[in-house]
Amino acid sequence: MGDNFLGNQNLFFAALDFYYRKDFTYIELGDGDELWENRKIDRIISIHSDAFWLMSKFYKAGRFYMLYGNHDHVKRNKDFANDNLKSYYDESIKRRVSLFPNLKIHEGLILKYKDSDNLLFLTHGHQADFLNYNLWRLSRFLVRYLWRPLELTGVRDPTSAAENHTRKEKVERKLVHWTKKQNQMLIAGHTHRPVFPQVNEPLYFNDGCCVHPRCITAIEIDNGSIVLVKWAVRTRNDRSLYVDRVILEGPVKLQDYFGVKPKNIL
């Protein structure tokens, strides 16, 4: 099973638990499940059942939204959620339990800032990547049958915007161009590179990556402010380990972004 996420599963659970207790709404920006290297999502759910259990608590509380990306593009099928995410088998009690009944999976979401008419557009971002959007089936084939076996020997996947810096920058230029043309705030993922613009820059944000070898990153919106954070394992003086939340950028008031016209950059 291809599972680059395995090393960060405890970080992810700690972050989710923090956000659940703080009454956040969790929005998964796509590629939450690696369905190019793995054909069946039930294996992923079985291995990471603790995370899915906690996400189901978000869902039951009305605080969960799932978007699809290129690596889980099959979720665009309206029947996928009902066929695969309605319930799961709980090994601890030896029966199936509810997971995400009646879940609707989106390509994008539009959030409206409550204190004005400004909008925040959320999507995975692979729509700006021809190889991973228009030719996603070809990319999946290459990853599943060619790059996955080679990955074990250290060969990087050239179809991935996260691994190919030239393609990453090309995708990001398209996303930045879209935000400038539409004068619209965009929060995306896909490239695995965190982006948090200054107030006078184009309104392109990126939440970064959950499969980095040393950390996961996320974007938080709370009390009218936006912030980029990192979750990582730290060491105390007594050499014990703990999960720490570190602010990388912000907080910045959303209204500060909405009230300034971005500079015209190349």
Side-chain angles (χ1 to χ4, degrees):
M1 176 178 176
D3 195 351
N4 295 323
F5 174 72
L6 192 62
N8 287 344
Q9 59 179 340
N10 291 327
L11 288 178
F12 184 72
F13 189 87
L16 273 186
D17 184 62
F18 172 87
Y19 294 130
Y20 183 78
R21 293 174 186 271
K22 294 288 186 179
D23 292 325
F24 275 76
T25 293
Y26 175 60
I27 301 176
E28 189 171 277
L29 278 181
D31 281 4
D33 302 298
E34 175 52 82
L35 296 176
W36 279 8
E37 296 187 19
N38 306 289
R39 291 176 177 272
K40 295 184 178 297
I41 196 172
D42 56 349
R43 296 185 62 198
I44 299 174
I45 295 174
S46 177
I47 292 173
H48 300 291
S49 58
D50 56 343
F52 279 93
W53 166 78
L54 188 46
M55 286 190 286
S56 73
K57 292 185 66 176
F58 275 94
Y59 182 67
K60 292 169 184 175
R63 297 190 279 125
F64 178 84
Y65 294 90
M66 179 181 288
L67 278 59
Y68 66 80
N70 51 305
H71 280 255
D72 54 2
H73 197 80
V74 292
K75 291 178 181 177
R76 79 197 188 287
N77 188 317
K78 294 181 179 180
D79 295 326
F80 183 90
N82 186 59
D83 293 343
N84 298 277
L85 298 174
K86 186 175 181 180
S87 63
Y88 75 103
Y89 186 79
D90 189 333
E91 290 284 354
S92 62
I93 58 177
K94 305 300 181 184
R95 64 180 177 85
R96 298 195 69 84
V97 296
S98 175
L99 186 57
F100 306 125
N102 302 312
L103 174 68
K104 293 183 179 179
I105 304 175
H106 309 277
E107 183 173 2
L109 288 177
I110 297 176
L111 307 182
K112 183 178 180 180
Y113 182 47
K114 66 178 182 178
D115 294 332
S116 70
D117 292 328
N118 296 105
L119 304 177
L120 294 77
F121 181 51
L122 282 64
T123 193
H124 182 63
H126 66 299
Q127 295 86 349
D129 187 339
F130 182 79
L131 186 59
N132 282 299
Y133 186 67
N134 303 82
L135 301 180
W136 72 272
R137 287 184 176 85
L138 172 62
S139 296
R140 181 180 64 180
F141 175 85
L142 294 174
V143 167
R144 182 173 290 174
Y145 298 107
L146 179 59
W147 305 120
R148 181 188 181 193
L150 291 176
E151 184 180 22
L152 298 177
T153 66
V155 177
R156 292 185 174 184
D157 171 16
T159 69
S160 171
E163 300 289 354
N164 187 312
H165 292 290
T166 300
R167 293 191 59 252
K168 180 186 301 186
E169 291 173 358
K170 183 177 180 180
V171 169
E172 289 182 342
R173 284 197 300 269
K174 291 181 179 180
L175 294 173
V176 167
H177 176 74
W178 185 88
T179 65
K180 291 165 58 179
K181 182 178 180 181
Q182 302 294 327
N183 191 26
Q184 174 68 61
M185 180 177 286
L186 170 65
I187 303 176
H190 187 55
T191 65
H192 292 210
R193 178 158 60 185
V195 177
F196 195 91
Q198 298 298 312
V199 168
N200 61 352
E201 295 178 337
L203 302 180
Y204 163 61
F205 293 77
N206 194 296
D207 68 343
C209 180
C210 68
V211 293
H212 189 280
R214 296 185 300 276
C215 66
I216 63 176
T217 55
I219 285 179
E220 300 174 4
I221 299 175
D222 187 30
N223 291 322
S225 295
I226 186 168
V227 59
L228 175 68
V229 301
K230 175 177 72 173
W231 293 84
V233 173
R234 302 293 187 187
T235 307
R236 296 189 178 92
N237 292 334
D238 63 359
R239 295 181 297 281
S240 62
L241 302 178
Y242 68 100
V243 176
D244 192 19
R245 172 184 170 273
V246 180
I247 295 178
L248 299 177
E249 298 283 353
V252 177
K253 292 290 185 182
L254 289 171
Q255 192 58 52
D256 291 346
Y257 285 110
F258 296 142
V260 176
K261 185 177 180 180
K263 289 182 178 178
N264 185 25
I265 67 172
L266 296 178

